[in-house]
Amino acid sequence: MSAAASSTAASAPSATKCGLVWYKCSDLRTLDHEPLSLAHAENNNVCHLFCFDPRWFGEAGGPSAPGTLKTGALRARFLLEAVQDLKIRLQGNLVVKIGKPEMEVPRLAKALGATTVYAHREVTSEELTVVKGVQEGLRKVTDGKSKLREAWGGYLYHINDLPFDDVKQNMPDVFTQFRKAVESKSRIRKYFPVPSALKPPPSALSGAAAEESAVNAMPSPVTLQALGFTTEEDLEPVVGYGRDARVNPAAVLMFKGGETAGLARLREYLWEKDLLKSYKETRNGMLGPDYSSKFSPWLATGSISPRVVFAEITKYERERVENDSTYWLVFELIRRDFFRYSGISFGNDFFKLGGPQKNPKKYPWKRDGALFYAWKEGRTGYPLVDANMRELKATGFMSNRGRQIVASFMTRDMGLDWRLGAYWFEECLLDYDPCSNYGNWCYAAGVGSDPREDRYFSLPKQGGTYDPDAVYMKHWCPELKDLPADVLINPGRLDAVVRARYGVDEDVYPRPVVPLKFGGGGGVKGGGGKGGSGQGRGGGGGGGGKGRAPFKGPRRPANRLQNDYF
């Protein structure tokens, strides 16, 4: 047993006690899960609960101005797979409901007679509001007989081991300062093993507990339709994933949710394919399953923990090789911690237009429905941007390099409100988590805390460096497959003569919707341009020139603090 586990292990309770483990969408695992370890060490009987909160799906929450969901179909499917896998790993002892945790957790705790509800701590506002509601519900529904006990988890460094007395007040604003401080003064704890023997639920969930567990229970098997994805439009991302020839194992990693799949990917990347030794050299790739670890979707759902990844890296360094690449993956885990702890220090500033700088008027942000639609649909007239955006929509993933490129283009060249991009990423990304998503977008928009706030990614330079033969661009934009690479890298060269020579008119591929800030684009100012916007969900109408189409959002839950601006 590891030191971390032994510190919480207790002798078997003498009286019959029941505990309830409240699982969330960010901790769907059995390995390195302190609430799970505590519950099974301190109780004779344990039940586990997961709630699909309706506020994250379907029509709940009201229309959203940008026309984006809080959880898109691809991420919802990945989450469903993770929950189904967790239920198997818990030997079927997982109650799965559709409902608000503030209602479901207290009711099940009362029915079980659970004295303690175990869960991981939260740091961001929406999640903290839910936690407060659960605490109030436990006090009212159980007459204070059941308490919420929270543990810290999902980070590389435990909050109590940080070299800052008060994270809210003393957390460094800059990543490099944070990294140097934790690397020199903090330790990474050992992870918690899976409990050696999982305790059963009380009397096989008989009587009142059985009745309560059936209230708002998810159908088996769990389906996207049960979460509100009922129309062809809703399900198109999932249907398209299966029939899109561009989505194949040679081009992308075929993600499957759950701890089993996450641990398998960890084993495959480090041990079976021996790819960690070259991670730093390949991590800026864009096409293929193995140019980077791609652990992030499983880290986001908590299907694997950073400490488990770190333990495997150190083992790899002992048994295979230790070099810059092995360190660089740890470096990225530290960066992930930085954004999550920044969620404490900056609070809701992460989600506001002015970001941590609290300056919403720093740039002349605009709302242009046609431009936003062209960007998110991959119809901007810039092949490198469009290829990345099409990959995101089709697979729920985009390379780190690609994310920086499309964010720079949207904020610097298009001048759009950066939160529109954050909302779209929130809907689409399999690896979405609020701190990393909004923190990175603040940085890209120049309203974050990092002093290098005005970085600009030149599309010709990025294309020439990272896709010099245009293989990636041609894969995701097959209508351009016959064009020379230099034309795709420098879209300003795609003039009428070249279009006519290769049969690529503006109905096939749009002209650039905006000029590049520092040249090389050949675009026009204003809206989507011919073929650049079109009609469709969330975007507003087509048309070119300076049209400013309104946003449409017929069934979109409200995103974080969007009313601050819209």
Side-chain angles (χ1 to χ4, degrees), residues 33-145:
H33 197 291
E34 187 175 3
L36 181 72
S37 297
L38 286 169
H40 285 272
E42 298 176 352
N43 298 276
N44 304 94
N45 302 113
V46 178
C47 187
H48 314 89
L49 170 68
F50 178 82
C51 299
F52 283 99
D53 192 328
R55 288 167 293 197
W56 297 89
F57 304 96
E59 298 179 2
S64 163
T68 54
L69 288 165
K70 289 183 78 68
T71 306
L74 286 174
R75 182 152 64 88
R77 184 182 68 172
F78 190 78
L79 182 61
L80 284 175
E81 292 170 344
V83 172
Q84 291 167 336
D85 180 70
L86 179 64
K87 187 165 188 175
I88 293 172
R89 296 180 75 90
L90 291 173
Q91 301 170 10
N93 183 6
L94 178 66
V95 176
V96 181
K97 295 193 174 192
I98 301 178
K100 297 179 180 179
E102 304 95 308
M103 301 294 293
E104 304 300 338
V105 174
R107 291 199 308 216
L108 186 57
K110 180 180 180 181
L112 292 167
T115 56
T116 306
V117 175
Y118 302 84
H120 277 121
R121 281 179 59 185
E122 300 289 353
V123 300
T124 43
S125 58
E126 289 184 357
E127 290 74 18
L128 288 172
T129 298
V130 172
V131 170
K132 183 179 180 181
V134 169
Q135 291 173 322
E136 293 176 350
L138 289 171
R139 179 174 54 81
K140 294 178 181 178
V141 174
T142 71
D143 295 322
K145 296 176 182 178

Side-chain angles (χ1 to χ4, degrees), residues 29-34 120 190-194 305 307-308:
R29 62 182 181 274
T30 58
L31 185 61
D32 197 25
H33 197 291
E34 187 175 3
H120 277 121
K190 293 182 179 180
Y191 63 80
F192 291 85
V194 179
S305 82
R307 292 192 302 207
V308 169

Side-chain angles (χ1 to χ4, degrees), residues 31 52 73 79 89 126 142 154 173 186 244-245 287 364-366 392 423 441 452 463 502 517 525 543 546 550:
L31 185 61
F52 283 99
L79 182 61
R89 296 180 75 90
E126 289 184 357
T142 71
D173 291 343
S186 301
D244 191 336
L287 188 65
W365 303 112
K366 62 186 177 184
L392 172 64
Y423 296 156
W441 271 98
R452 297 178 301 167
Y502 291 97
K517 184 177 181 181
K525 293 184 177 181
K546 296 185 179 181

Side-chain angles (χ1 to χ4, degrees), residues 457-517:
F457 286 78
S458 163
L459 291 182
K461 184 177 186 301
Q462 295 293 315
T465 302
Y466 299 106
D467 192 24
D469 297 320
V471 176
Y472 176 77
M473 288 182 269
K474 291 182 180 183
H475 179 83
W476 289 105
C477 302
E479 69 271 34
L480 306 178
K481 62 182 176 62
D482 295 327
L483 288 171
D486 70 294
V487 173
L488 300 188
I489 293 170
N490 301 279
R493 299 176 184 175
L494 186 56
D495 56 21
V497 174
V498 175
R499 285 181 178 274
R501 181 185 306 159
Y502 291 97
V504 181
D505 60 30
E506 292 181 10
D507 292 326
V508 174
Y509 188 73
R511 61 175 174 167
V513 294
V514 293
L516 295 181
K517 184 177 181 181

Side-chain angles (χ1 to χ4, degrees), residues 110-186:
K110 180 180 180 181
L112 292 167
T115 56
T116 306
V117 175
Y118 302 84
H120 277 121
R121 281 179 59 185
E122 300 289 353
V123 300
T124 43
S125 58
E126 289 184 357
E127 290 74 18
L128 288 172
T129 298
V130 172
V131 170
K132 183 179 180 181
V134 169
Q135 291 173 322
E136 293 176 350
L138 289 171
R139 179 174 54 81
K140 294 178 181 178
V141 174
T142 71
D143 295 322
K145 296 176 182 178
S146 181
K147 305 290 186 181
L148 178 64
R149 181 177 177 182
E150 295 179 287
W152 197 259
Y155 293 70
L156 186 62
Y157 291 96
H158 194 284
I159 190 170
N160 292 340
D161 298 329
L162 295 179
F164 323 115
D165 294 335
D166 186 336
V167 174
K168 179 70 175 177
Q169 299 297 326
N170 302 323
M171 169 78 180
D173 291 343
V174 179
F175 168 65
T176 299
Q177 296 173 1
F178 173 83
R179 176 182 60 80
K180 290 181 177 179
V182 296
E183 285 183 330
S184 62
K185 300 177 182 179
S186 301

Side-chain angles (χ1 to χ4, degrees), residues 14 28 60 62 105 178 186 190 230 267 290 298 312 316 326 345 351 401 464 526 560:
S14 56
L28 299 172
V105 174
F178 173 83
S186 301
K190 293 182 179 180
T230 56
R267 182 172 60 253
D290 295 324
W298 291 287
E312 286 297 300
Y316 181 93
T326 61
S345 61
F351 312 120
R401 177 61 49 179
R560 295 173 183 268

